[in-house]
Amino acid sequence: MLPSIVLLSLLGSSAARTSVEAMNLFKRISSGCPTSGPASCYNTSAVDTCCTEYPGGLLLQTQFWDTNPSTGPSDSWTIHGLWPDNCDGTYQENCDPSRDYTDIPTLLVDQGASDTLSFMETYWVNINGNNEELWEHEWATHGTCYSTLEVACLPAGSPQGAEAVAFYKTAVSLFQTLPTYAWLESTGIIPSSDQTYSLRDLTAALQTSSGHIPALGCDGSTLNRISWYFNLRGSVVDGDFTLIDSPKSSACPSNGISYPPKSC
């Protein structure tokens, strides 16, 4: 059981937002934010938006199961994004077009995140084959709306785009804690061309392994997406993410849910 998932010191451990040299900066970057205070959506005091995600304190790690055409490995879901919803069910998008970065692979490599790029090339893939288009879209649409990833919240001397690199690394790291395929498989729920499943069985399988209830999504009666929800203490850069029950109901029928296999 995983009552909470904590992301610890992804990006280093310096204690304050101080100047650091540009070379290999990202490997050592730190928000300087504490992780002992109230979680996002639960902070009722004055909010330092560099250290408390606000107003988008309800975070969704969304995964897709694409089969037409198939994307990603046959035994894994794929990353779609990491979205900051507000705590009241609303959300913002496209918050800062001036930071709509392009050439994401070069951005990642130049800032010491080649391992993240390699993972993204396999597990963060676009249904149309243009992965970078998806990566650019997810940052521009959702990543620019994180208050803790504002440029002013980064250490002085950070290279341009360091906040986007932090976004990609964090999205990947959270995805790696959420093996949706393996959790379903552990209870006998596997992709099938003829078997169908109930929403209750799918949800129970995921709750048993994770300790929490995600929101499942279907295209008609075909399972194709899932959203895992978090609150956050500290910054998206290096804060503690706590998995929570989805505040939203699944968008799938009660029975007869298809979970088709991916093509080779």
Side-chain angles (χ1 to χ4, degrees), residues 63-80 122-127 175 180-181 190-193 222-225 258-264:
Q63 304 177 11
F64 272 22
W65 181 258
D66 292 323
T67 60
N68 186 29
S70 295
T71 64
S74 61
D75 61 349
S76 177
W77 289 56
T78 56
I79 303 170
H80 191 70
T122 299
Y123 294 97
W124 198 338
V125 288
N126 198 346
I127 197 169
F175 174 80
T180 299
Y181 184 95
I190 58 174
S192 172
S193 298
T222 301
L223 182 64
N224 68 350
R225 63 191 180 277
S258 174
Y259 181 26
K262 295 183 181 181
S263 59
C264 297

Side-chain angles (χ1 to χ4, degrees), residues 25-166:
L25 169 77
F26 192 78
K27 294 180 180 179
R28 299 194 302 275
I29 200 172
S30 169
S31 68
C33 295
T35 58
S36 57
S40 57
C41 295
Y42 295 94
N43 194 333
T44 58
S45 60
V47 173
D48 172 3
T49 59
C50 282
C51 289
T52 297
E53 194 53 52
Y54 181 86
L58 182 65
L59 311 185
L60 292 72
Q61 203 290 306
T62 305
Q63 304 177 11
F64 272 22
W65 181 258
D66 292 323
T67 60
N68 186 29
S70 295
T71 64
S74 61
D75 61 349
S76 177
W77 289 56
T78 56
I79 303 170
H80 191 70
L82 182 63
W83 305 344
D85 277 16
N86 298 334
C87 303
D88 59 4
T90 63
Y91 56 89
Q92 298 172 300
E93 292 185 340
N94 302 302
C95 294
D96 187 356
S98 72
R99 293 187 292 142
D100 289 0
Y101 301 122
T102 58
D103 195 5
I104 303 306
T106 298
L107 188 69
L108 290 164
V109 170
D110 286 353
Q111 296 189 35
S114 297
D115 55 342
T116 298
L117 174 60
S118 295
F119 191 90
M120 288 166 61
E121 289 172 337
T122 299
Y123 294 97
W124 198 338
V125 288
N126 198 346
I127 197 169
N128 68 7
N130 187 340
N131 295 341
E132 188 171 350
E133 177 185 72
L134 176 59
W135 302 338
E136 291 176 1
H137 170 82
E138 290 302 306
W139 164 254
T141 305
H142 305 289
T144 60
C145 295
Y146 282 100
S147 71
T148 62
L149 294 181
E150 292 283 346
V151 172
C153 299
L154 301 181
S158 297
Q160 185 178 31
E163 76 282 18
V165 176

Side-chain angles (χ1 to χ4, degrees), residues 1-4 178 183 205-214 228 243:
M1 299 286 284
L2 299 173
S4 66
L178 298 166
W183 284 344
L206 296 168
Q207 184 180 20
T208 295
S209 292
S210 71
H212 291 279
I213 300 172
W228 295 95
L243 190 63

Side-chain angles (χ1 to χ4, degrees), residues 195-253:
Q195 176 71 34
T196 61
Y197 302 97
S198 70
L199 179 59
R200 175 179 294 180
D201 287 345
L202 291 164
T203 301
L206 296 168
Q207 184 180 20
T208 295
S209 292
S210 71
H212 291 279
I213 300 172
L216 298 174
C218 290
D219 181 6
S221 61
T222 301
L223 182 64
N224 68 350
R225 63 191 180 277
I226 185 170
S227 292
W228 295 95
Y229 285 79
F230 294 85
N231 291 131
L232 170 63
R233 287 181 171 84
S235 168
V236 171
V237 172
D238 52 7
D240 291 352
F241 289 78
T242 300
L243 190 63
I244 63 172
D245 288 346
S246 169
K248 300 179 181 179
S249 300
S250 293
C252 288

